[in-house]
Amino acid sequence: MSTPHAAAGTVHPLDNPVRSALTGPHAHFAERRGRILRYQADVAPWVAIPDVPEAGDWDDASALAGPGGAVTITAFREPPPDDWEIVFRAEGVQLVDAGVATAPFPEAVRLGPADVPDMLALVERTRPGPFLPRTVELGTYLGVRREGVLVAMAGERLHLPGWSEISAVCTDESVRGQGLGTGLVRAVAHEIGRRGETSFLHAAASNTNAVRLYESLGFVLRRRTSFLSALVPQPLPTRLPAPVGGEREARTAAVG
């Protein structure tokens, strides 16, 4: 198993996990402009910004997202330019597998593209975090159905060299307390371990119940992080030139 921390003075792939994924196993999902990388828009919302961004980097991020588009970042603390509107900011934690008792979950079924409508419906009911129409392509997704209805799931999101993130862990309110989330997390971690990789995950620091659950399963805190989503500024309206004849005629035209 990989160790939770990098050696002193080295950069660990988990320090900038989106960049590590998009320059590694998930490179085929990447869109790039300059030093900015992002997932294809219907796959995941995450954008990789350099640790020390320059003005040109924000321009490139703007070009990728388009006016009014959202740039969503994790493991990043530098504020965006003043004219960007921050729509979401939260403190988070990054946890890594330090001895999770992984195991298959007999009730779990593998989910794929045909299951996406049901997966999106479950996400809408439970709000585990970003999940888009092609997120299922990022890795293994397992779910539990009851009477044909998808009531719980978990899967993989960011995939780095040697590491894979467990994400979209959600359970419908009607079946909570039955250990479905625990079983699915262990099962997804089992799939990751079979590849010789190590599981990690992110959670909101305020979601103390989830953090305690993950720690009870064998995950440990690696670092505190942050999540940020900001909107690219809309371009200012083009100002029409004043009519010939000066300011007085321009005012008359505006109210005429």
Side-chain angles (χ1 to χ4, degrees), residues 23-234:
T23 57
H26 279 173
H28 56 294
F29 292 116
E31 296 179 350
R32 182 168 197 150
R33 185 180 176 102
R35 299 199 300 166
I36 304 300
L37 290 161
R38 77 163 187 177
Y39 279 92
Q40 294 162 2
D42 56 351
V43 174
W46 303 109
V47 177
I49 302 283
D51 293 332
V52 183
E54 301 170 355
D57 295 321
W58 291 108
D59 292 341
D60 288 337
S62 298
L64 274 179
V71 170
T72 305
I73 311 164
T74 185
F76 185 77
R77 294 188 178 276
E78 291 291 327
D82 292 340
D83 55 346
W84 288 52
E85 179 187 356
I86 296 176
V87 293
F88 178 80
R89 188 200 300 269
E91 295 304 305
V93 293
Q94 185 184 79
L95 305 168
V96 296
D97 179 351
V100 175
T102 69
F105 190 38
E107 194 177 356
V109 296
R110 195 171 294 267
L111 303 174
D115 300 294
V116 166
D118 290 344
M119 299 169 81
L120 290 172
L122 179 60
V123 166
E124 180 65 24
R125 298 195 303 272
T126 58
R127 304 290 184 178
F131 189 91
L132 301 173
R134 292 179 57 211
T135 301
V136 70
E137 298 177 23
L138 295 177
T140 298
Y141 276 82
L142 302 176
V144 173
R145 290 185 178 275
R146 296 280 174 84
E147 298 181 356
V149 177
L150 184 66
V151 295
M153 72 173 185
E156 298 178 74
R157 186 170 59 185
L158 300 178
H159 188 190
L160 293 58
W163 298 84
S164 190
E165 179 193 28
I166 298 178
S167 182
V169 181
C170 53
T171 303
D172 190 86
E173 186 176 3
S174 64
V175 293
R176 287 179 186 164
Q178 300 180 19
L180 299 185
T182 294
L184 288 169
V185 168
R186 284 177 168 156
V188 175
H190 181 74
E191 294 286 328
I192 293 168
R194 288 176 59 188
R195 303 196 302 259
E197 298 174 339
T198 305
S199 305
F200 74 102
L201 50 81
H202 291 101
S206 60
N207 192 352
T208 54
N209 289 336
V211 173
R212 280 197 295 266
L213 171 62
Y214 295 138
E215 289 176 336
S216 73
L217 294 178
F219 289 91
V220 298
L221 177 68
R222 177 180 180 270
R223 68 188 299 231
R224 297 191 177 275
T225 185
S226 59
F227 310 104
L228 171 73
S229 185
L231 298 181
V232 175
Q234 296 278 7

